């Protein structure tokens, strides 16, 4: 799946799980600030598994830091679509986010400022901004935007960072799902790899060959190759949903009664249908 679509799916998943509006499930409710900031951070977390590609898009999102991070991850995980594209990889990312949440400093003015989650957020936000092509050409803008957005939350709403491990885990799982639905698949149980039997590889016309790859990757290639028209068909409404969810939270935050307007619109639509 393309990087921008991974980011959009992460943001959409965060809205669906954390918002309590009629268009979301509200399984893990957070504040409006948490919805807005979490959507951006989860968009970045949904790109984390691709941090194993030292020459990929996100490797250049926050140079030189992002380049060093991706090279280190690639060395440990065995290269692109290796360990980071597995359940174990997502678990490690989540555990790291949890450990980062224990790093904070106490200040007289702002109380406890969570430094660890702030640093993680800077990197994840830079991933999201790069994948969404908001900081494509400017390294300085990448640093400035990522630092400012993370600092604002770390200083003025530090209580929002308690959801960081969940955000990273959700983003990672959404990434795995996205790549699972494409042709190349993922090594879901890495470092254990179950190579497909010879008879599966021999009879390439069978559907098993697409689902169980020769190298041990598994896939359910409903979206076809990355960037295919099927991927765009699915991800366009998903991206719109993420934008609507974040906009709804932003309007709620400034006091606009979006739910009232939603109910009025629903009643009006119902009256038209019943007429």
């Amino acid at each position: 799946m393309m990087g921008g679509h991974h980011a959009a799916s992460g943001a959409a998943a965060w809205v669906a799980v954390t918002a309590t509006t009629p268009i979301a499930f509200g399984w893990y409710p957070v504040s409006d600030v948490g919805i807005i900031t979490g959507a951006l951070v989860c968009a970045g977390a949904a790109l984390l598994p691709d941090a194993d590609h030292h020459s990929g898009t996100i490797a250049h999102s926050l140079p030189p830091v992002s380049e060093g991070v991706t090279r280190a991850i690639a060395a440990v995980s065995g290269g692109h679509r290796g360990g980071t594209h597995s359940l174990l990889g997502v678990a490690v990312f989540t555990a790291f986010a949890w450990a980062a949440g224990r790093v904070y400093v106490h200040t007289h003015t702002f109380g406890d400022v969570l430094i660890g989650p702030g640093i993680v957020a800077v990197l994840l936000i830079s991933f999201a901004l790069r994948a969404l092509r908001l900081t494509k050409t400017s390294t300085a803008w990448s640093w400035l935007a990522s630092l400012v957005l993370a600092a604002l939350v770390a200083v003025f709403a530090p209580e929002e960072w308690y959801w960081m491990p969940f955000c990273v885990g959700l983003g990672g799982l959404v990434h795995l799902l996205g790549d699972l639905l494409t042709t190349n698949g993922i090594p879901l149980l890495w470092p254990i790899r179950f190579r497909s039997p010879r008879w599966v590889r021999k009879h390439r016309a069978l559907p098993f060959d697409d689902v169980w790859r020769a190298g041990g990757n598994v896939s359910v290639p409903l979206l076809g190759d990355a960037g295919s028209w099927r991927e765009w068909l699915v991800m366009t409404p998903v991206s719109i949903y993420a934008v609507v969810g974040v906009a709804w939270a932003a309007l709620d935050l400034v006091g606009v009664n979006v739910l009232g307007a939603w109910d009025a619109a629903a009643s009006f639509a119902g009256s038209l249908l019943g007429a």
Side-chain angles (χ1 to χ4, degrees), residues 103-120:
V103 181
Y104 67 93
V105 295
H106 181 77
T107 66
H108 294 293
T109 305
F110 300 107
D112 291 338
V113 177
L114 300 180
I115 300 298
I119 293 173
V120 173

Side-chain angles (χ1 to χ4, degrees), residues 1-255:
M1 182 174 282
M2 298 170 63
H5 288 162
H6 277 308
S9 65
W14 182 255
V15 169
V17 171
T18 62
T20 55
T21 56
I23 63 171
F25 300 113
W27 293 331
Y28 188 85
V30 300
S31 69
D32 289 328
V33 173
I35 293 170
I36 297 168
T37 56
L40 187 55
V41 174
C42 198
L47 292 158
L48 262 179
D50 279 344
D52 60 3
H53 192 7
H54 69 271
S55 60
T57 300
I58 63 173
H60 306 300
S61 60
L62 206 66
V65 174
S66 56
E67 295 166 344
V69 169
T70 53
R71 286 185 182 277
I73 291 176
V76 172
S77 64
H80 188 46
R81 290 220 182 187
T84 61
H85 285 73
S86 68
L87 294 175
L88 177 60
V90 172
V92 170
F93 285 135
T94 305
F96 180 82
W98 175 86
R102 312 277 79 79
V103 181
Y104 67 93
V105 295
H106 181 77
T107 66
H108 294 293
T109 305
F110 300 107
D112 291 338
V113 177
L114 300 180
I115 300 298
I119 293 173
V120 173
V122 169
L123 191 61
L124 296 184
I125 289 172
S126 73
F127 287 176
L129 295 178
R130 181 77 175 197
L132 296 172
R133 299 181 182 276
L134 298 177
T135 57
K136 185 178 180 181
T137 59
S138 174
T139 299
W141 171 239
S142 298
W143 274 101
L144 179 62
S146 303
L147 286 170
V148 168
L149 289 171
L152 285 175
V153 181
V155 173
F156 295 105
E159 68 279 0
E160 296 297 341
W161 287 138
Y162 73 89
W163 43 249
M164 178 67 79
F166 176 72
C167 186
V168 169
L170 178 63
L173 289 175
V174 168
H175 184 110
L176 296 192
L177 177 61
D179 281 349
L180 182 69
L181 295 176
T182 57
T183 305
N184 290 331
I186 55 173
L188 192 63
L189 299 179
W190 184 93
I192 302 172
R193 284 181 180 269
F194 297 100
R195 287 176 54 83
S196 58
R198 182 176 297 177
W199 65 269
V200 170
R201 301 194 297 274
K202 181 178 180 181
H203 300 285
R204 297 188 61 84
L206 294 176
F208 300 110
D209 187 59
D210 290 332
V211 174
W212 193 356
R213 313 292 292 183
N217 283 13
V218 293
S219 67
V220 185
L222 299 177
L223 301 182
D225 295 336
S228 69
W229 67 267
R230 282 180 284 177
E231 181 180 322
W232 279 95
L233 183 66
V234 171
M235 291 308 305
T236 297
V238 169
S239 302
I240 294 172
Y241 173 82
V243 172
V244 171
V246 171
W248 191 316
L251 291 172
D252 263 346
L253 190 62
V254 297

